[in-house]
Amino acid sequence: MSRPAPAVVTVTGAAGSIGYASVFRIAAGAMLGHDQPIALRLLELPQAVPAAVGTAMELDDGAFGLLKSVDVFDDPRKAFDGASFALLIGARPRSKGMERADLLAANSDIFAAQGAVLNEVAADDIRVIVVGNPANTNAAVAAAHAPEIPPQRFSALTRLDHNRAIAQLSHRAGVEVGEISRVTIWGNHSATQYPDIFHARVGGRSGADLAADREWLVDDFIPTVARRGTAIIEARGSSSAASAANATIDHVHDWVLGTPAGDWTSTALPSPGAYGIPEGIVCSFPVRSIDGEWEIVEGLDINDFSRERIDASVAELEAERDAALTS
Ligand code: NAD
Ligand code: LMR
């Protein structure tokens, strides 16, 4: 059986921790499936090009059947030319003691420039996933600089938070992760995010049943998920890498190949105004992927407890967006 043409996948920050943890699994077919050949483009800053060349050598040594080419660039125009997938990972990470807001100024220029270049040279079917923090606002900045690309082709990673919430629920309820569905991360990939379990299914139980223990929900579950990135930085001395790479691959996999029947996932998308969340910010929603397009799960009942938390994260996103787009 003949295989499709290679998909052009550009990974920025490819020599960094998340980039390094991503590219081998992409080459092995974990992201786009085991029948989809890949043409990998690695984009790095000039000083990190030698390390990216080393990564390309290791990819070669993996003898991956799906990997048709690996090219290293320090020029975004060449790296994104004809790309169908742009994994925007390259950015400065948060170190100990830094809050995510501190990254805003440092990183938003990168995403403005990359959005403008994607607008000019990417393939018509480009899909963009922003991982570099502050991911939601960087995605909003990139989309704002790419007027020819439909806004819903821009997304930011909250799948890591989604996966973290499932893991915490699994520990709490003593249920396998595969038996947990319909968890939602709302809002920003930050400490204000709201992991919502009111609609979740946890084995034979409803999430609402677990949420009835408000002390656990408010003092344990929500802060554990929302501050997990900080806890990892404190434990490792650097920010999450393999779990972030894993979530990035999950995100693109489900975007292209579909979310499992009966379930949904969480993705930050330019808000179309759903659930009263204003347009102009990139906010995490419950989403399904249908025929390769994200669709927000509509019609969920949002109780007062959830509304208050969603609104707080949305307010943070609006402030970040205002700071980034006026700087
Ligand atoms: P890292 O410092 O290990 O690697 C970043 C790489 O990006 C470096 O190699 C650097 O040279 C490169 N880079 C910087 N600017 C670039 C540019 N303009 N073009 C191309 N490459 C560029 O960092 P990391 O641990 O891989 O983290 C990357 C980003 O992902 C950080 O912003 C981090 O905060 C973020 N992150 C996001 C999530 C999430 O869930 N959204 C989770 C973890 C980390
Ligand atoms: C994470 O969630 O692990 C990352 O976004 C790191 C951070 O800065 O919180």
Side-chain angles (χ1 to χ4, degrees):
M1 202 176 75
S2 67
R3 279 183 163 159
V8 179
V9 177
T10 304
V11 178
T12 77
S17 303
I18 300 173
Y20 187 75
S22 300
V23 290
F24 296 90
R25 291 188 59 209
I26 295 171
M31 186 172 84
L32 296 178
H34 297 279
D35 289 320
Q36 176 58 61
I38 309 275
L40 255 184
R41 311 263 187 86
L42 311 183
L43 176 66
E44 259 298 350
L45 295 175
Q47 63 270 27
V49 161
V53 168
T55 302
M57 290 163 67
E58 285 198 76
L59 282 161
D60 197 29
D61 295 346
F64 294 104
L66 292 173
L67 190 59
K68 298 304 165 194
S69 59
V70 187
D71 294 289
V72 178
F73 300 94
D74 61 8
D75 178 352
R77 190 166 291 275
K78 290 182 183 155
F80 292 134
D81 188 25
S84 291
F85 296 91
L87 277 53
L88 305 187
I89 299 170
R92 194 179 150 188
R94 188 160 68 111
S95 46
K96 259 187 189 175
M98 252 177 120
E99 271 308 318
R100 289 175 69 270
D102 301 332
L103 288 179
L104 196 60
N107 286 336
S108 70
D109 288 353
I110 296 174
F111 292 87
Q114 291 182 352
V117 174
L118 283 165
N119 192 54
E120 283 184 40
V121 304
D124 287 345
D125 64 352
I126 181 71
R127 289 179 171 91
V128 183
I129 155 126
V130 176
V131 177
N133 278 322
N136 300 53
T137 299
N138 289 337
V141 169
H145 287 80
E148 308 296 327
I149 301 176
Q152 53 293 8
R153 300 283 188 75
F154 284 86
S155 62
L157 187 72
T158 51
R159 181 61 175 263
L160 178 56
D161 310 291
H162 183 96
N163 289 348
R164 287 167 171 166
I166 289 174
Q168 292 304 319
L169 280 176
S170 165
H171 301 321
R172 171 73 179 178
V175 163
E176 294 287 333
V177 292
E179 290 179 52
I180 299 173
S181 61
R182 302 192 172 200
V183 168
T184 304
I185 304 296
W186 297 93
N188 201 359
H189 171 65
S190 77
T192 68
Q193 69 178 259
Y194 171 51
D196 178 357
I197 61 169
F198 282 96
H199 309 281
R201 294 177 181 162
V202 185
R205 291 174 77 181
S206 74
D209 182 25
L210 285 161
D213 183 345
R214 287 299 156 95
E215 197 177 319
W216 167 77
L217 184 67
V218 171
D219 297 336
D220 187 344
F221 175 74
I222 294 174
T224 298
V225 175
R227 301 205 66 86
R228 187 71 165 180
T230 302
I232 301 277
I233 290 169
E234 280 165 5
R236 259 170 52 83
S238 56
S239 68
S240 62
S243 57
N246 179 60
T248 305
I249 285 167
D250 285 348
H251 173 116
V252 180
H253 176 278
D254 286 1
W255 195 352
V256 175
L257 298 171
T259 33
D263 197 2
W264 64 65
T265 185
S266 303
T267 292
L269 295 173
S271 175
Y275 292 98
I277 293 170
E279 294 181 33
I281 57 169
V282 169
C283 181
S284 186
F285 288 100
V287 293
R288 294 192 175 99
S289 176
I290 316 278
D291 296 331
E293 307 279 349
W294 292 124
E295 283 184 12
I296 293 172
V297 177
E298 302 275 7
L300 299 178
D301 182 38
I302 306 298
N303 61 22
D304 290 347
F305 180 93
S306 297
R307 187 81 250 173
E308 191 186 323
R309 285 162 177 79
I310 294 168
D311 288 350
S313 199
V314 165
E316 182 187 52
L317 282 169
E318 291 183 297
E320 279 188 12
R321 184 264 329 266
D322 292 346
L325 290 177
T326 55
S327 66

